[in-house]
Amino acid sequence: MRTTPMVLGPLLCLVLTGCASAVGTAPGPYATDPVCAQVVLATPDELAEDLPRRDTTAQATTAWGTDGAAVVLRCGVEPLGPTTDRCQTVDAADGTSVDWVIVASDPDDEQSSDWTFTTYGRVPAIEVQVPAQIARTHPSSFLDRLGRAAQLTERERGCL
């Protein structure tokens, strides 16, 4: 008996990925920038042992985590202008160096906050959204793992 592609597709999905649901997200306004495709391809397969890559529902995005919570990277978001928000340079062991603007959803309660990290001075800009439950166990320890991908974008300025 011959298996048709229609039957094989769902079976292959079940065997390879367990058919975990995709992480719902929206693309950035500049997600069609060709550099964003390179950025997403250069991201790691996992950010930590308990944060494996997940599928997403939008172009120029990727995610890591579980069905309960996921870190979401969106390339092609609006580049930031000058800001008074905290800007931090993250240097990685591989020599990459990327400036990130760091914003808590609730500055008065950082322990319970979701966090947004946005590249500063890079075009196209990259945004990384980290839910509170992941931030509590992985504060920003994985940003250095995203440096290689983020450095594919053009650096126009940096943190002061």
Side-chain angles (χ1 to χ4, degrees), residues 22-96:
V23 176
T25 189
Y30 307 106
T32 57
D33 188 313
V35 172
C36 285
Q38 295 172 17
V39 166
V40 170
L41 289 173
T43 58
D45 288 336
E46 64 180 23
L47 289 182
E49 255 183 49
D50 58 340
L51 296 174
R53 183 183 303 276
R54 300 268 314 275
D55 289 332
T56 59
T57 60
Q59 179 178 354
T61 64
T62 194
W64 302 267
T66 63
D67 284 333
V71 173
V72 175
L73 178 144
R74 297 186 324 135
C75 182
V77 298
E78 191 69 43
L80 298 174
T83 181
T84 57
D85 291 327
R86 181 171 64 187
C87 190
Q88 181 175 337
T89 302
V90 176
D91 298 313
D94 66 3
T96 59

